[in-house]
Amino acid sequence: MEQRSSTSGSQQGRPRKTVDNPYLGTEYSVQKNPGYRLRRTKREWKPLEDRSCTDLPWFLLFTVFCVGMGSICGFTIATGGAGRLVFGYDSYGNTCGQRNEQIEGVRLSGLDQTDKKYVFFLDPCNIDIVERKIKSMALCVSLCPDEELKTYQDLKRFAMHNGSELCSYELAGHKYPGLPERFDKCPKLPVPPSKSLPVFNRCTPVDISCYAKFAEAVVMFVSDNSVLHRLIGGVMASKEIIVGLCLLALVLSMILMVIIRYISAVLVWILTAMVVLGSLAGTSILWWMYIDRRLTANKTLSKETAETTETKDAKEEAGMTRDKAQVLLVYAIAATVFTVILLLLMLFMRKRVALTIALFHVAGKVFIHLPLLTLQPFCTFLALLLFWMYWGLVLLFLGTTGNPVQNEETGLTEFRLTGPLQYMTWYHAVGLIWISEFILACQQMTVAGAVVTYYYTRDKTRLPVTPILSSVLRLMRYHLGTVAKGSFIITLVKIPRLFLMYVHNQLKGKENACARCMLKTCICCLWCLEKCLNYLNQNAYAATAINSTSFCTSARDAFVILVENALRVAAINAVGDFVLFLGKILIVTSTAFAGVLLLNYQRDYAEWVLPLIIVCLFAFLVAHCFLSIFEIVVDVLFLCFAIDTKYNDGTPGKEFYMDKALMEFVENSRKLERVVERGRSRPTVSVEGPEMKPMAPGTSSA
C-alpha cells in the first residue's frame, strides 16, 4: 500500500482511490476527475475469501434446456403416448383397458376395450433383430392363456370358457376351427403358455426359448438354446456368490485407496523400475533374436555357396530368413530408441516422480480427513442411474407418441412423430449427453471444492464439520452455471464423435479404404480433444473452487499454471495414471481369483463363466469409480501446490499452505538448487546474491 501511495502522489498531486478486484486480477484506479483508468497488475489468488455467482447466463440456459426436457415428457403424457406404453395398444390403434375414439382410415379402431386389459401377440417370437421390436399383430384380450393351446379347437374352448378371444376382433370365437382366415388372423400354433407383466400388461411367454434368436443378436457367443439356459441357470444359482464378490471388490477398492498412502513411495519406484527393466529386457531380446536370425541366414548362405546344385525351396527359405532378420532389425532399433527416450525421461523427471509420491501421500491423508469422499461415486452413480431411467422411459413414451400411421409392409398401425415434432427425439438425445456430463462435472466440482478447503486450511482441526456438504452447498449456490458451461463444451465435442461413430458403423463394409481411414482419424482426434478438454475442465473447476472466477477465467488461469509446470504434469499423469491403472487391474484379478475359487464346484465351464464375467465387469467399474476420485484429488492437490509455490515462498506474510510431505519436497528441491548454484559460482568471483529466506516456523506442519 505504501508503494501505491507514492505512485499516486507523483502524478501531479491528484489523489486517487484503489480498489482490488480478486476475480479479474486487476486494480482499478479511481480519480477525482471523471472517468476510471484500468491498470492490469499481477494475478492475485485469494482462496476461499469471497464468493459470487459465476456464469449465471449459462445456468439460466441450462435451466431452460431442462424445462424443455420436462416439456417433452409432459407432451408424451398429454398426447397419450405414456398411456399407450403403460397399458399397451393393439394393431388397430386401440389402447387396452380404455374406451377409444375412431381413427380415420383405420378399420376396427375406436373400440371399447375396457374389459380387455392385456396385450396379446399372435406370434411373440417374430422379432426384428435390426429394429429390435416385435413384428407380430397385437390384440387386446381379457385373459392371457396360462396353458399351451395346440389346436384351433383349443382356441375355441379357451374363448368359450374364459371369454378371451385370441383371434382378430372380426372373427367369432365359436367359428375358429372352420374359418379360412384362421391362418392369418389367429395366433401361430402351438400357443405357448404366458402370463402378464406386473406393470405393462403384456402377455409374455413363460418359456423364453423363442427369444433365443434375439438373445444371439445381443450376446454373440450364445449359439443355441441349451447354452442360453445353462448360462442363465448358472447366474441364478450363483447369485449369492456374485453379490459377495461384488462386495469384495468394493472393500478391496476402499482398502487400496488407504494402502496407497503408506506404500506410495515403494509402489511408485517399484513400478518405475519394472517399466525400465522391462523395456531393457525387451530391447535386449529383440537384438538377440535379430543376431540369432542373422547368424542363421549367414550359415544358410554359406551352405548354398558351397553346394553346386541349388534348389528353389532353399532359395525361398534363405530369402524369408533375411526378410525376417530385417524386420527384427527394425523392431530392435525402434525398441532401442524407445528405451533411450524412456531412460532420459526418467533421468530428467526423477524429481517430478518424488512429487507424485508426495501427492499420493497427501491424497491418502485427504481421504482420512474427508471420509465422505468415498461416497461420491455412489451418489454420482445413483444420480446417473435415476436420470438414465427417466431418459429411457421418456424415450419409450416418444416411441408410442404421434400420429397413427399404417405400416405398408405389415399392415399394422404404429404411432410416429411427424413434421417438426420428430426433432424432439434429437433434443432428447442431446439432453442425455449434456445432463450426464453435467452430473459428472458436479462430482468434479464437489470433490475439488472439498480438497481446496482442506488444502487452504492451515489448521486441519478447524476444518468444517462436513467439507463435502459445504462444497455441495457452495456449488449449488454459486457455481452451477460454471458446471453447465463446462459440460456443454464437452457435449459439443462428444456429439460429432458419436455421430461419426454411427456413420462408420452404418457404412461398415461399404466405404472405401480412404473414407474409412478418414473417419477413424476424425473419431480419434475428437476423442483426444475430448480427453484434453475433460482434464482442462477439471482444473478449471478447481480454480473456480479456489477463487470463485468464471469458467473461461478459471480455465485460462489453470492452463497457465499447467503450462508453467508441464514436466511435473507429465510425470504425475504418466506415473500416477499408470499406478492407478495397475491398481484397477489388481482389484479385478483379485476378485476374479476369488470368484474362480468360489465357483470351482460348478464343474461346467458354461455355468460359471457368465457370473465371473459379471463380477469382473462390476469390479472394474467399482475400482474405476473409486480410483478416479483419487485421481481427481491428486490433480486438484497439484494445482493447489503449483499455485502455492508460485505465490508463496515461506517468508512471513507469504507462508505456505501445503502439507508437511509437500513441504519436505520443497525443502529438498531448494537444497539441491543451492548445491547446484554453489557449484556454478565456485570458479568465479564471489558475488553475494539474494539469500533465500527460511520458511516461517510452524507452517511446515500445516
Side-chain angles (χ1 to χ4, degrees):
M1 295 302 294
E2 293 179 0
Q3 185 178 359
R4 291 175 183 169
S5 300
S6 61
T7 305
S8 61
S10 63
Q11 297 182 5
Q12 300 178 5
R14 292 179 295 181
R16 75 178 183 182
K17 179 182 177 182
T18 61
V19 180
D20 291 334
N21 188 324
Y23 307 110
L24 296 176
T26 58
E27 182 182 276
Y28 291 95
S29 301
V30 186
Q31 301 184 7
K32 279 188 175 182
N33 41 340
Y36 297 93
R37 188 166 65 85
L38 184 65
R39 184 165 61 87
R40 175 75 63 179
T41 60
K42 188 178 180 181
R43 179 73 171 92
E44 296 183 19
W45 291 79
K46 296 185 178 181
L48 306 175
E49 290 190 10
D50 299 301
R51 288 285 135 185
S52 65
C53 293
T54 56
D55 298 295
L56 186 58
W58 281 94
F59 170 69
L60 298 176
L61 177 63
F62 182 74
T63 303
V64 172
F65 183 84
C66 291
V67 170
M69 291 283 291
S71 301
I72 292 177
C73 180
F75 174 79
T76 59
I77 295 175
T79 54
R84 281 190 286 269
L85 176 68
V86 174
F87 300 108
Y89 65 97
D90 61 16
S91 298
Y92 306 107
N94 300 299
T95 302
C96 298
Q98 297 180 7
R99 186 185 297 272
N100 298 274
E101 297 180 359
Q102 176 71 31
I103 300 175
E104 184 179 356
V106 178
R107 66 184 186 89
L108 298 178
S109 61
L111 301 179
D112 185 3
Q113 307 283 29
T114 306
D115 298 330
K116 300 179 179 181
K117 299 181 179 180
Y118 304 105
V119 180
F120 176 75
F121 297 98
L122 301 189
D123 186 8
C125 299
N126 186 9
I127 299 172
D128 188 347
I129 295 181
V130 177
E131 298 293 334
R132 300 291 196 272
K133 65 180 181 180
I134 297 175
K135 299 175 65 176
S136 167
M137 176 183 289
L139 300 173
C140 295
V141 297
S142 57
L143 187 67
C144 298
D146 56 356
E147 60 182 10
E148 186 178 21
L149 306 178
K150 299 180 180 180
T151 64
Y152 292 104
Q153 196 68 33
D154 293 338
L155 290 177
K156 173 185 175 181
R157 186 178 64 254
F158 182 80
M160 295 297 100
H161 290 177
N162 301 298
S164 182
E165 298 178 350
L166 303 183
C167 295
S168 186
Y169 303 135
E170 69 268 25
L171 303 183
H174 62 281
K175 297 181 180 180
Y176 285 169
L179 291 175
E181 299 94 339
R182 64 184 184 276
F183 299 106
D184 297 328
K185 297 184 178 181
C186 285
K188 182 180 179 181
L189 297 178
V191 179
S194 60
K195 60 180 180 179
S196 61
L197 294 176
V199 177
F200 292 99
N201 299 326
R202 266 74 168 178
C203 293
T204 307
V206 177
D207 185 8
I208 63 171
S209 61
C210 69
Y211 296 118
K213 187 178 180 181
F214 180 72
E216 289 179 20
V218 181
V219 186
M220 290 302 184
F221 62 84
V222 177
S223 57
D224 54 41
N225 299 342
S226 61
V227 174
L228 176 64
H229 283 293
R230 287 158 60 192
L231 288 174
I232 297 177
V235 173
M236 297 304 296
S238 310
K239 54 183 180 296
E240 294 85 2
I241 297 177
I242 292 174
V243 173
L245 291 173
C246 292
L247 292 176
L248 175 64
L250 184 64
V251 173
L252 289 177
S253 300
M254 300 177 69
I255 292 175
L256 181 62
M257 294 173 64
V258 178
I259 290 178
I260 287 178
R261 174 196 171 189
Y262 297 101
I263 64 170
S264 56
V266 178
L267 184 64
V268 170
W269 285 118
I270 287 177
L271 292 176
T272 304
M274 288 176 60
V275 171
V276 173
L277 292 177
S279 179
L280 289 172
T283 304
S284 302
I285 290 173
L286 284 173
W287 279 111
W288 176 79
M289 292 175 64
Y290 165 71
I291 294 173
D292 180 68
R293 184 72 64 177
R294 190 68 180 175
L295 292 175
T296 303
N298 290 338
K299 289 180 182 179
T300 304
L301 184 62
S302 61
K303 288 182 180 180
E304 291 176 358
T305 306
E307 296 176 357
T308 55
T309 59
E310 186 176 329
T311 63
K312 182 178 180 181
D313 293 339
K315 289 182 179 180
E316 292 180 355
E317 183 179 355
M320 291 176 60
T321 304
R322 284 191 295 269
D323 292 340
K324 292 180 180 179
Q326 294 297 323
V327 172
L328 285 173
L329 177 62
V330 174
Y331 288 163
I333 293 175
T336 303
V337 173
F338 173 78
T339 303
V340 171
I341 294 175
L342 181 63
L343 292 175
L344 291 176
L345 286 175
M346 291 297 177
L347 179 64
F348 288 109
M349 298 175 66
R350 61 187 185 279
K351 291 192 296 182
R352 281 83 185 180
V353 174
L355 175 59
T356 305
I357 295 172
L359 287 173
F360 271 53
H361 181 78
V362 178
K365 295 176 68 175
V366 169
F367 280 95
I368 292 177
H369 284 87
L370 310 176
L372 292 181
L373 278 177
T374 56
L375 298 179
Q376 284 302 300
F378 297 105
C379 297
T380 304
F381 179 74
L382 180 61
L384 286 172
L385 183 63
L386 292 176
F387 169 68
W388 289 340
M389 291 173 60
Y390 164 81
W391 186 88
L393 192 61
V394 175
L395 184 65
L396 293 176
F397 289 170
L398 285 172
T400 55
T401 302
N403 301 319
V405 178
Q406 200 161 20
N407 191 322
E408 296 179 357
E409 179 183 353
T410 61
L412 309 180
T413 301
E414 301 174 355
F415 291 88
R416 297 177 184 174
L417 292 170
T418 57
L421 295 179
Q422 60 185 336
Y423 295 106
M424 286 197 301
T425 306
W426 293 103
Y427 187 95
H428 195 61
V430 173
L432 172 66
I433 302 174
W434 192 3
I435 298 179
S436 298
E437 292 295 331
F438 178 84
I439 294 173
L440 294 173
C442 285
Q443 173 185 268
Q444 294 176 353
M445 178 69 87
T446 300
V447 175
V451 175
V452 165
T453 302
Y454 171 86
Y455 188 95
Y456 286 105
T457 302
R458 286 194 171 91
D459 187 2
K460 306 306 179 190
T461 60
R462 302 184 63 182
L463 282 170
V465 179
T466 54
I468 299 293
L469 182 59
S470 300
S471 180
V472 171
L473 294 177
R474 204 159 54 231
L475 164 66
M476 296 179 65
R477 183 176 178 182
Y478 297 111
H479 305 311
L480 286 177
T482 298
V483 172
K485 186 174 183 179
S487 57
F488 180 76
I489 292 175
I490 299 298
T491 304
L492 286 181
V493 178
K494 182 166 286 188
I495 289 176
R497 182 172 68 85
L498 294 177
F499 178 75
L500 290 178
M501 290 176 63
Y502 173 77
V503 172
H504 180 263
N505 290 330
Q506 293 296 315
L507 298 179
K508 187 173 292 184
K510 300 178 182 178
E511 78 280 14
N512 56 29
C514 181
R516 183 168 60 250
C517 180
M518 291 180 63
L519 275 175
K520 290 184 177 180
T521 303
C522 292
I523 293 172
C524 182
C525 291
L526 288 173
W527 181 84
C528 294
L529 177 61
E530 181 183 337
K531 293 300 179 183
C532 294
L533 287 176
N534 268 320
Y535 183 72
L536 182 60
N537 279 12
Q538 179 180 307
N539 286 276
Y541 300 146
T544 298
I546 295 173
N547 248 15
S548 188
T549 48
S550 64
F551 177 82
C552 292
T553 303
S554 300
R556 182 196 62 200
D557 296 336
F559 181 77
V560 170
I561 294 293
L562 294 176
V563 169
E564 292 175 351
N565 298 269
L567 290 179
R568 289 177 173 177
V569 172
I572 292 170
N573 287 334
V575 179
D577 290 352
F578 185 65
V579 170
L580 296 179
F581 173 75
L582 290 181
K584 298 174 187 177
I585 299 300
L586 176 64
I587 292 172
V588 173
T589 52
S590 301
T591 307
F593 179 72
V596 170
L597 294 180
L598 293 175
L599 295 169
N600 187 42
Y601 68 90
Q602 296 180 355
R603 298 299 179 183
D604 194 346
Y605 174 79
E607 292 182 2
W608 59 265
V609 62
L610 186 57
L612 193 62
I613 291 174
I614 294 173
V615 167
C616 290
L617 290 176
F618 182 82
F620 183 81
L621 177 63
V622 170
H624 175 73
C625 290
F626 275 90
L627 294 180
S628 64
I629 295 293
F630 193 91
E631 184 179 357
I632 294 174
V633 171
V634 171
D635 291 337
V636 175
L637 283 173
F638 171 72
L639 184 67
C640 296
F641 169 78
I643 295 169
D644 198 7
T645 54
K646 181 176 181 179
Y647 295 100
N648 298 313
D649 55 9
T651 58
K654 291 187 176 182
E655 293 85 359
F656 288 119
Y657 290 93
M658 65 185 66
D659 190 89
K660 184 177 180 180
L662 294 173
M663 191 76 71
E664 291 175 355
F665 169 79
V666 173
E667 290 177 349
N668 294 334
S669 299
R670 288 184 170 185
K671 289 178 183 178
L672 184 61
E673 290 177 0
R674 288 173 187 154
V675 171
V676 173
E677 288 180 359
R678 289 195 192 111
R680 291 177 179 175
S681 60
R682 190 171 297 167
T684 60
V685 181
S686 177
V687 179
E688 295 186 1
E691 184 179 358
M692 187 173 294
K693 297 180 181 181
M695 289 176 288
T699 58
S700 62
S701 61

